[in-house]
């Protein structure tokens, strides 16, 4: 038996928002692969929970009229990977979440839970950052829209008020159109392990495939929160593709990152990974986009 | 906490149970329904010993609330044997290939193998390894488990027995 004080079971998003307003201290239970484990651990023992697990209206991925891809937050990792829209337009995201845990965890874990728990190692986070995801956050007072870039507030902290629920993750057409991405995860084990470092790159090339029109690079575990590296990104804009450019971009990533030493890896090793994974992911993304190095 | 009535299909049988909202699906399987093939290992989603199939996907039942099972279709290893208790091909293959020793991981591996052996797609050994990467075995060294799954898949495919 889990040590749960109260568990509320809303039947709709509207009801869930009301319950979250009445019980702001209650934790939202989506897939449970973080919260239930922390209850077992004792860290969250005795918590009040609001189980939104069964709210089907918060699952699924769709294309909106203007070409925006809407990912509902309770979509499981495996459903993100298998989704035809993701496979066609943002395969790097499907690949990223396909490297989380093992199959059972990917079937229960949700993409919304992954970003709302705010950890820097969340495999979906660097790719969602790199595609400028936009979050829809709801409460009884209404809906607010927030760039994912502004959501992270610190390790394990996100900009979510006690009465709010994440209800949508959007990727605009301009973010994915004609854009090719690659996520690389470095971890000690290939399965059932969290990232020592994760790097997600996406690139848009000029029509003649010789110049980088736009580059976006997201990282996990390169700092206290998932992050982008604006210095390296802007350095690449409008530049001719070359081996040297890739080295320059990879070197420039080090200016913005701030990894730390943990039992998994030292700061120095992570700095090495920041640079090396950027090189590899950038090369792969350029190749996919039809460019040659 | 007040118990709640849920309805679900378990190994082909429509079932109703009163469950405590704090109860895991693992407890519902083992304690309430006496389906003891579902093993109690780590209790935190690491080992896969408690794996069950829910609506065609595999889940660790230790980190799945019993109340979530309402309306779902669940399969455990008990559901693989015939009504007379005869083993299915994948179970026999685990025996033949020496893919089971102490046996505590075996039911979980059997359930995790279903998405492979029920598919007529071809799988590389790497893909099989990935599909069972959420299941730990401390005895066999995995090779025989992969062999058992691969052989059952190939045999079913040759005989046209895969459903999907
Ligand atoms: S007992 Fe459920 S994963 Fe170990
Ligand atoms: S047979 Fe003993 S753990 Fe697998």
């Amino acid at each position: 038996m889990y040590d749960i004080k109260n568990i509320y079971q809303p039947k709709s998003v509207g009801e869930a928002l009301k319950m979250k307003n009445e019980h702001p201290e209650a934790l939202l239970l989506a897939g449970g692969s973080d919260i239930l484990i922390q209850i077992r651990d004792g860290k969250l023992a005795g918590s009040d929970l609001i189980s939104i697990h069964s709210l089907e209206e918060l699952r699924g991925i769709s294309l909106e009229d203007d070409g925006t891809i809407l990912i509902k937050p309770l979509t499981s990792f495996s459903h993100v990977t298998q989704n035809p829209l993701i496979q066609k337009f943002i395969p790097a995201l499907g690949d990223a979440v396909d490297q989380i845990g093992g199959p059972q965890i990917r079937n229960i874990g949700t993409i919304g839970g992954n970003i709302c728990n705010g950890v820097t190692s969340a495999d979906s986070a660097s790719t969602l950052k790199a595609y400028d995801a936009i979050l829809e956050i709801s409460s009884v007072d209404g809906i607010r829209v927030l760039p994912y870039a502004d959501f992270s507030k610190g390790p394990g902290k996100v900009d979510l008020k006690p009465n709010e629920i994440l209800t949508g993750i959007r990727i605009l057409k301009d973010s994915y159109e004609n854009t090719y991405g690659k996520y690389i995860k470095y971890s000690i084990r290939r399965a059932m392990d969290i990232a020592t470092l994760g790097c997600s790159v996406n690139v848009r090339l000029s029509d003649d495939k010789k110049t980088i029109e736009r580059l976006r690079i997201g990282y996990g575990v390169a700092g206290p929160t998932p992050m982008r590296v604006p210095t390296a990104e802007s350095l690449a804009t409008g530049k001719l593709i070359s081996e040297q450019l890739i080295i320059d971009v990879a070197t420039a990533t080090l200016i913005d990152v701030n990894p730390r030493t943990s039992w998994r890896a030292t700061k120095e090793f992570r700095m090495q990974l920041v640079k090396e994974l950027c090189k590899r992911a950038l090369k792969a993304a350029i190749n996919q986009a039809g460019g040659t190095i | 906490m007040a118990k709640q009535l849920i309805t679900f299909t378990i190994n082909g049988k429509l079932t109703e149970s009163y469950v405590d909202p704090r109860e895991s699906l693992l407890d519902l399987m083992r304690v309430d329904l006496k389906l003891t093939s579902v093993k109690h290992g780590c209790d935190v989603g690491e080992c896969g010993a408690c794996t069950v199939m829910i609506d065609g996907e595999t889940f660790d039942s230790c980190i799945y609330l019993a109340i979530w099972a309402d309306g779902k279709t669940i399969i455990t290893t008990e559901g693989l044997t015939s009504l007379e208790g005869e083993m299915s091909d994948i179970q026999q293959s685990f025996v033949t290939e020496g893919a089971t020793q102490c046996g505590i991981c075996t039911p979980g591996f059997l359930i995790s193998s279903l998405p492979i052996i029920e598919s007529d797609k071809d799988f590389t050994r790497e893909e099989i390894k990935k599909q069972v990467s959420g299941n730990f075995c401390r005895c066999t060294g995995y090779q025989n488990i992969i062999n058992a799954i691969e052989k059952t898949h190939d045999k079913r495919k040759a005989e046209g027995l895969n459903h999907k």
Side-chain angles (χ1 to χ4, degrees):
Chain A
M1 202 75 73
Y2 280 100
D3 186 354
I4 296 168
K5 189 150 107 218
N6 287 298
I7 179 159
Y8 306 102
Q9 299 169 57
K11 298 268 178 304
S12 67
V13 173
E15 214 185 312
L17 293 173
K18 273 193 212 130
M19 287 176 174
K20 194 79 181 87
N21 203 50
E22 279 160 34
H23 309 282
E25 74 299 335
L27 302 168
L28 285 177
L29 185 65
S33 56
D34 285 315
I35 287 183
L36 291 178
I37 290 166
Q38 292 194 45
I39 290 176
R40 279 267 189 263
D41 248 9
K43 278 185 228 142
L44 292 179
S47 294
D48 283 341
L49 303 179
I50 299 175
S51 169
I52 53 171
H53 180 89
S54 303
L55 297 181
E56 287 304 317
E57 49 181 318
L58 288 181
R59 292 184 190 272
I61 298 176
S62 57
L63 196 60
E64 300 187 311
D65 288 342
D66 61 356
T68 300
I69 293 175
L70 168 61
I71 306 171
K72 298 284 190 71
L74 289 186
T75 310
S76 67
F77 299 126
S78 56
H79 286 199
V80 171
T81 304
Q82 289 157 18
N83 184 272
L85 290 168
I86 298 296
Q87 288 176 353
K88 185 163 177 204
F89 298 116
I90 324 173
L93 181 63
D95 280 352
V97 299
D98 196 35
Q99 296 178 49
I100 295 171
Q104 295 94 322
I105 297 296
R106 294 193 287 271
N107 286 338
I108 195 75
T110 69
I111 189 157
N114 202 225
I115 63 174
C116 285
N117 77 21
V119 299
T120 181
S121 58
D123 280 292
S124 67
S126 46
T127 303
L128 289 173
K129 288 250 151 140
Y131 278 92
D132 275 338
I134 292 171
L135 307 182
E136 175 193 291
I137 294 167
S138 304
S139 72
V140 286
D141 307 323
I143 292 177
R144 70 184 171 107
V145 171
L146 179 78
Y148 181 33
D150 301 337
F151 189 58
S152 313
K153 289 285 172 227
K157 288 202 184 67
V158 294
D159 182 6
L160 213 48
K161 296 192 191 78
N163 71 341
E164 289 181 325
I165 299 180
L166 173 68
T167 45
I169 302 167
R170 287 188 169 80
I171 312 245
L172 300 184
K173 189 173 182 185
D174 178 60
S175 293
Y176 68 79
E177 195 181 34
N178 197 14
T179 298
Y180 297 84
K182 173 77 181 171
Y183 175 72
I184 302 180
K185 171 178 183 171
Y186 184 98
S187 53
I188 300 170
R189 296 183 88 250
R190 258 192 294 161
M192 303 298 285
D193 199 359
I194 66 170
T196 302
L197 199 97
C199 173
S200 188
V201 166
N202 64 73
V203 70
R204 180 182 290 165
L205 302 185
S206 58
D207 290 341
D208 65 3
K209 314 271 183 218
K210 290 204 160 57
T211 308
I212 293 183
E213 239 177 58
R214 186 180 77 188
L215 173 64
R216 288 168 169 180
I217 309 170
Y219 282 107
V221 210
T225 62
M227 58 161 65
R228 290 271 290 272
V229 284
T231 312
E233 291 179 9
S234 54
L235 182 139
T237 310
K239 298 271 166 57
L240 274 179
I241 298 167
S242 70
E243 192 73 49
Q244 189 58 46
L245 178 68
I246 288 168
I247 295 169
D248 292 347
V249 169
T251 309
T253 57
L254 298 176
I255 296 168
D256 294 326
V257 298
N258 177 29
R260 64 179 188 109
T261 295
S262 74
W263 68 268
R264 268 173 219 279
T266 59
K267 176 185 171 94
E268 290 71 22
F269 182 50
R270 285 205 168 93
M271 293 294 268
Q272 170 72 17
L273 287 172
V274 164
K275 195 172 158 183
E276 185 58 31
L277 297 192
C278 171
K279 267 192 229 167
R280 293 184 191 187
L282 179 54
K283 280 186 186 173
I286 290 174
N287 280 331
Q288 279 182 58
T292 40
I293 299 148
Chain B
M1 215 176 270
K3 290 203 172 188
Q4 230 170 286
L5 181 68
I6 62 165
T7 309
F8 53 99
T9 303
I10 176 81
N11 298 326
K13 223 174 86 196
L14 194 65
T15 306
E16 287 188 333
S17 279
Y18 279 95
V19 298
D20 188 302
R22 299 166 298 179
E23 184 175 341
S24 68
L25 182 62
L26 173 65
D27 286 341
L28 171 61
M29 296 287 114
R30 283 186 67 83
V31 183
D32 303 359
L33 302 179
K34 309 280 181 269
L35 295 169
T36 51
S37 78
V38 186
K39 296 301 178 202
H40 190 163
C42 65
D43 229 1
V44 288
E46 289 280 349
C47 73
C50 65
T51 306
V52 298
M53 188 86 143
I54 305 172
D55 288 352
E57 296 181 357
T58 57
F59 292 90
D60 292 325
S61 61
C62 67
I63 51 168
Y64 192 101
L65 291 182
I67 49 172
W68 293 345
D70 193 28
K72 301 277 199 285
T73 297
I74 304 170
I75 296 170
T76 68
T77 294
E78 284 85 353
L80 303 185
T81 52
S82 72
L83 285 178
E84 297 74 43
E86 224 159 279
M87 286 195 289
S88 62
D89 53 354
I90 182 69
Q91 289 168 292
Q92 184 57 55
S93 183
F94 266 62
V95 175
T96 314
E97 297 297 324
T100 182
Q101 287 185 32
C102 80
I104 193 158
C105 71
T106 309
F109 269 100
L110 290 168
I111 297 298
S112 283
S113 78
L114 297 181
I116 294 176
I117 61 170
E118 291 181 351
S119 164
D120 60 7
K121 224 185 95 208
D122 287 322
F123 290 86
T124 62
R125 281 181 79 85
E126 280 309 310
E127 286 170 327
I128 298 176
K129 283 186 198 165
K130 189 173 173 200
Q131 170 57 31
V132 296
S133 61
N135 292 79
F136 287 179
C137 175
R138 308 204 306 173
C139 305
T140 66
Y142 298 104
Q143 292 307 320
N144 294 348
I145 294 175
I146 312 294
N147 292 345
I149 297 171
E150 191 174 39
K151 287 192 180 164
T152 306
H153 171 269
D154 293 354
K155 187 154 174 281
R156 281 197 185 191
K157 187 159 179 180
E159 292 167 3
L161 287 176
N162 324 63
H163 315 273
K164 286 173 202 154

